[in-house]
Amino acid sequence: MKLVKKSLLLIVCLLAVTSLAAQEFAVGEPNAEEIGIDSAQQKLKEVSVTKYEDAGFWKASMALDNGLVSIRRLPGGPLDKEPIPEEEEIGISQSEVDKYVLGVKVEYFKRGFHEFLVTPARPMAIEGITKTISVWVVGRNNRHTLKLLISDYFGNRAEITMGSLNFTGWKKMTVAIPPHIIQRDYHHANRMGIRVDGFKILCDPVDTYGDYYIYFDDMRAVTDLYSEESRDVDDMQDSW
């Protein structure tokens, strides 16, 4: 009997430790150095995908019988945002090139499991093998879910859940690109990487009434540029 009790106690302790470890992993940002390693060497670099300075490059859409959605460029941005070192080295000032954010307003007609899209005029390609993508968001404490829309190397589309929007103020939301997303093919060495197709917001029916506002700023990617920057200067380009 004592042996059984000790075994049960040990199992409970192990489950508790596993649960705490899982929570810590979920709360922390994904480690780009440990994602999808398929080569002995990596050269990770943080690059800017878009700073949302041009509202005309973006559009928002949703089903017409569910509500109206509009888009606007507004001055502002998160105070906790840090500059990219490479941009500082070449003299790019954040105050000069990053003055605005992208605002989206939804006016609901009725409650329901609605969704709306925020998409660029054309897909945004990211050079190299993308490890993580981050974006600053104001969620307005609604229980909606933000999904990242991407296309892989072959143009196949995928949705990656970034998280819930039930927070106030600016928050940097980061997501890892799963290793099963194909970003290169050795039979076609002239290009690699993924494209960002925008965002999908899945609405919680409890919060689908009145008006909803969401803001975006400064999308960045951590990408592995080893294959791009280690190419010999006399190597031929397979693009003919």
Side-chain angles (χ1 to χ4, degrees):
M1 181 63 69
K2 291 183 178 180
L3 182 60
V4 173
K5 289 183 178 180
K6 289 182 178 179
S7 300
L8 291 175
L9 181 61
L10 180 60
I11 293 173
V12 171
C13 292
L14 288 174
L15 289 174
V17 172
T18 304
S19 177
L20 288 174
Q23 290 176 7
E24 290 178 0
F25 180 79
V27 171
E29 290 189 3
N31 187 350
E33 296 181 356
E34 300 177 355
I35 299 172
I37 299 176
D38 58 0
S39 63
Q41 292 178 294
Q42 294 188 106
K43 190 167 185 178
L44 301 182
K45 183 178 293 186
E46 186 178 38
V47 298
S48 175
V49 180
T50 178
K51 299 183 184 298
Y52 295 97
E53 296 297 287
D54 184 9
F57 183 71
W58 295 85
K59 64 179 180 179
S61 59
M62 70 182 303
L64 294 177
D65 57 342
N66 294 334
L68 297 176
V69 59
S70 56
I71 203 164
R72 173 180 288 188
R73 184 183 75 169
L74 298 165
L79 296 178
D80 294 335
K81 180 172 51 179
E82 297 180 356
I84 297 177
E86 284 76 10
E87 292 184 350
E88 286 188 314
E89 291 177 2
I90 61 177
I92 297 179
S93 173
Q94 293 291 322
S95 60
E96 295 177 357
V97 300
D98 195 3
K99 299 179 180 179
Y100 302 97
V101 303
L102 186 72
V104 181
K105 176 183 178 182
V106 178
E107 301 171 72
Y108 299 110
F109 291 161
K110 58 184 178 181
R111 292 179 184 266
F113 291 93
H114 308 323
E115 64 181 46
F116 60 94
L117 303 177
V118 181
T119 55
R122 60 179 181 274
M124 298 178 295
I126 302 177
E127 189 177 14
I129 302 301
T130 303
K131 301 292 185 175
T132 65
I133 292 180
S134 64
V135 62
W136 285 89
V137 184
V138 172
R140 285 292 181 259
N141 204 24
N142 277 234
R143 285 164 288 192
H144 304 332
T145 300
L146 180 67
K147 288 181 173 287
L148 176 69
L149 306 178
I150 64 171
S151 295
D152 69 4
Y153 176 88
F154 294 107
N156 301 312
R157 295 186 175 182
E159 300 179 3
I160 304 175
T161 300
M162 299 198 72
S164 175
L165 297 169
N166 59 343
F167 55 87
T168 58
W170 286 102
K171 178 182 178 180
K172 182 181 179 183
M173 304 185 70
T174 305
V175 68
I177 304 301
H180 71 265
I181 300 294
I182 300 175
Q183 300 197 50
R184 77 167 90 196
D185 188 299
Y186 293 105
H187 294 92
H188 308 281
N190 61 317
R191 59 185 176 86
M192 65 177 64
I194 61 173
R195 298 179 302 173
V196 176
D197 297 324
F199 297 100
K200 175 188 287 187
I201 293 85
L202 301 179
C203 301
D204 189 301
V206 175
D207 289 327
T208 53
Y209 65 92
D211 298 337
Y212 175 63
Y213 295 85
I214 183 172
Y215 302 89
F216 297 93
D217 191 32
D218 197 26
M219 183 192 297
R220 299 182 184 182
V222 175
T223 179
D224 180 10
L225 297 175
Y226 178 78
S227 298
E228 299 287 344
E229 298 186 359
S230 62
R231 177 186 291 270
D232 295 333
V233 295
D234 58 349
D235 193 2
M236 310 300 295
Q237 290 286 346
D238 299 332
S239 57
W240 53 281

